[in-house]
Amino acid sequence: MIVVAGEALIDLVPAPVPSDPASALPQLLPQRGGGPYNVAVALGRLGSPTSFCSRVSTDAFGTALLSGLRDAGVDTALVQSGPEPTTLAVADVGSDGSAGYGFYTEGTADRLFALPPALPDGATALSVGTCSLVLEPGASAYEALLRRESGNGVFTTLDPNIRAGLIADADAYRERFLSWLPHVALLKLSVEDARWLADIGSDGDLEAHLAAWLDRGPAAIVLTRGGDGLSVWSRGAGRVSVPGTSVTVVDTIGAGDTVNAALLHRLREIDALSHAAVAGLGAEVWRDVLGFAARAAALTCSRSGAEPPYAWELSA
């Protein structure tokens, strides 16, 4: 079983066609989201046994979030609950489909996540990341979960999915990120996140930072480059890249989360959910894994909000 730990929230996304174009207020539609939540749903839709580990509100939004997980076949036994409101993220979608976010996080339920005593006996992988590793006090509990399960031999993945507006002290967060790497088997980053974490501009030497991060512990680092595709830096195959899949982009909400899920799903299918197995993968296997992730992400980009594909859509 793959355990995904982190926040579940509600994305408020622009309506495809405003009900009143002359209105001064934007027309927003609530959709289920949050990076880890999207990863769990995507894994469930792809057919991987998945459990979600988080803290969710008992309000109407929280009920809808749990319903979405169950509809995708995701186990919710590890979900904690509380009466605090659900976190909201207001999406601002650009003309190219890219999305920025404003967050309403004060006093919300997911921030009060507590370290569970143990994961299920069948847990083989743990995926963490996004806002859940920023907002205290829950962030420290998620960090403790990562360190504990890595020490227990669980295959761990990290997707920082940077939301800079939530990070009060960038330098402190960058140091914290470095401290996680010895406990991470697979690191997944967008090129924008990688440059933010490296604190360099578009002309900086990103590859040098990727090599340094790889030396700290991960078996591989996957870098997403939007429409330009995906690349991996791994201990066994060096650098391998695949192109993006051409698609009419509605928005990019959930695309990176779909990549994360697709990587885990494909690695599970080839029995490679271990640090040693990922470190030893060859270039051709990585092209297959990355290509699958690129196709899955493209389908997510072809529809509004975080709507990852089902297994049948990728086998058609």
Side-chain angles (χ1 to χ4, degrees):
M1 174 180 286
I2 299 171
V3 177
V4 183
E7 79 277 357
L9 52 78
I10 293 296
D11 286 325
L12 299 176
V13 303
V17 179
S19 58
D20 180 6
S23 173
L25 292 174
Q27 304 298 301
L28 300 173
L29 298 176
Q31 295 189 351
R32 292 172 283 217
Y37 181 89
N38 296 336
V39 172
V41 169
L43 278 166
R45 290 183 178 185
L46 291 173
S48 282
T50 305
S51 179
F52 189 57
C53 181
S54 184
R55 190 172 189 275
V56 174
S57 176
T58 55
D59 66 13
F61 284 144
T63 300
L65 287 163
L66 288 175
S67 176
L69 290 167
R70 292 169 181 145
D71 288 347
V74 176
D75 181 78
T76 60
L78 290 172
V79 175
Q80 304 161 22
S81 64
E84 302 81 13
T86 297
T87 295
L88 301 178
V90 181
D92 181 14
V93 179
S95 59
D96 61 352
S98 61
Y101 298 89
F103 291 90
Y104 294 85
T105 64
E106 191 64 34
T108 52
D110 57 287
R111 296 188 65 167
L112 300 180
F113 171 78
L115 178 67
L119 295 186
D121 290 341
T124 56
L126 171 69
S127 173
V128 298
T130 317
C131 308
S132 56
L133 285 169
V134 175
L135 300 172
E136 295 289 7
S140 292
Y142 285 113
E143 180 178 332
L145 180 65
L146 170 65
R147 294 175 185 271
R148 185 186 75 190
E149 296 308 320
S150 173
N152 289 339
V154 173
F155 181 81
T156 55
T157 71
L158 169 66
D159 178 6
N161 201 359
I162 299 299
R163 301 291 180 245
L166 292 177
I167 300 174
D169 187 334
D171 289 338
Y173 182 87
R174 291 179 179 116
E175 286 299 316
R176 202 171 180 186
F177 163 73
L178 294 176
S179 78
W180 297 330
L181 295 182
H183 310 281
V184 173
L186 176 64
L187 174 63
K188 177 262 171 188
L189 298 160
S190 69
V191 66
E192 296 84 5
D193 287 351
R195 290 195 176 279
W196 187 93
L197 286 163
D199 197 18
I200 59 174
S202 59
D203 57 348
D205 185 1
L206 181 57
E207 290 206 30
H209 287 273
L210 294 172
W213 295 341
L214 196 63
D215 285 344
R216 284 180 174 262
I221 299 174
V222 171
L223 194 70
T224 63
R225 297 178 282 110
D228 293 330
L230 295 89
S231 298
V232 64
W233 281 257
S234 77
R235 296 179 181 273
R239 179 179 179 177
V240 179
S241 298
V242 300
T245 299
S246 180
V247 68
T248 299
V249 175
V250 175
D251 64 49
T252 62
I253 298 172
D257 307 324
T258 301
V259 167
N260 205 12
L263 292 171
L264 279 165
H265 176 75
R266 200 61 152 185
L267 290 172
R268 175 184 165 272
E269 285 191 319
I270 62 174
D271 195 25
L273 285 181
S274 74
H275 191 288
V278 168
L281 294 180
E284 285 307 310
V285 177
W286 271 118
R287 289 189 185 95
D288 170 75
V289 172
L290 296 177
F292 179 79
R295 295 193 303 276
L299 284 171
T300 300
C301 290
S302 71
R303 42 220 189 190
S304 177
E307 286 294 339
Y310 293 84
W312 65 264
E313 294 180 273
L314 290 163
S315 60

